[in-house]
Amino acid sequence: MIMTDKQIGDKVKAHYKSGTYLGKIVQDRGDKFLVEVLAVWKHPMQGDLHNPNQTEGVFFHERKALAFHEKMNVRKPAVHSFEDTIPDYKESLLEAVQTYKEILKQKDTPYNREALATLERLEKEYK
């Protein structure tokens, strides 16, 4: 059994797949917490996570951020206490997209171009 100082209702920052979200714990599931998404901290990476930064010979996945109030099962070690105010979901989503785009624009590579194009398509859906 995993011991934790977190409990139902606590605000948390949780890493899930390749994104990071702010939310609240809604259920303790043994080795995981069920966390309700309230904001996006870091947008999920685009592309094939098993072959990062690759575009040739891989399926380039479009990864959307989890939706407002969507629930995720997160391993307890990936859930961290969050003391600040949780921002508005939509504002946090658009800010996370912008941050990721700025990172991708720093270096001109085939992966960064493909990820940027994918992210720009997603951004239109988000607005």
Side-chain angles (χ1 to χ4, degrees):
M1 179 153 103
I2 297 175
M3 298 301 293
T4 179
D5 59 341
K6 293 168 212 61
Q7 51 193 299
I8 294 170
D10 285 358
K11 292 189 301 183
V12 294
K13 178 167 59 168
H15 306 289
Y16 184 73
K17 299 196 178 181
S18 66
T20 305
Y21 301 89
L22 302 177
K24 69 176 179 180
I25 297 172
V26 293
Q27 190 175 50
D28 187 329
R29 295 188 166 175
D31 64 335
K32 295 179 180 176
F33 284 122
L34 184 64
V35 177
E36 179 180 2
V37 174
L38 299 175
V40 180
W41 186 263
K42 177 185 168 285
H43 194 279
M45 290 180 59
Q46 302 303 298
D48 185 338
L49 297 182
H50 301 290
N51 297 286
N53 300 315
Q54 300 294 312
T55 57
E56 296 290 321
V58 299
F59 181 72
F60 199 91
H61 297 272
E62 173 189 274
R63 289 194 163 69
K64 293 182 179 182
L66 295 179
F68 187 49
H69 293 300
E70 189 168 348
K71 313 280 189 309
M72 56 185 172
N73 275 306
V74 186
R75 290 180 37 249
K76 286 184 176 179
V79 177
H80 309 281
S81 295
F82 188 78
E83 301 300 326
D84 292 335
T85 301
I86 293 179
D88 174 77
Y89 174 83
K90 189 159 189 161
E91 288 176 18
S92 71
L93 172 61
L94 295 176
E95 188 174 315
V97 167
Q98 189 60 39
T99 298
Y100 189 18
K101 283 171 54 177
E102 292 303 319
I103 291 167
L104 293 170
K105 289 177 183 178
Q106 289 177 4
K107 192 171 182 184
D108 185 25
T109 66
Y111 168 82
N112 284 7
R113 285 192 299 272
E114 183 75 20
L116 189 57
T118 302
L119 203 56
E120 287 173 345
R121 282 192 303 273
L122 284 174
E123 187 177 28
K124 288 177 186 170
E125 288 181 38
Y126 293 154
K127 288 186 176 178

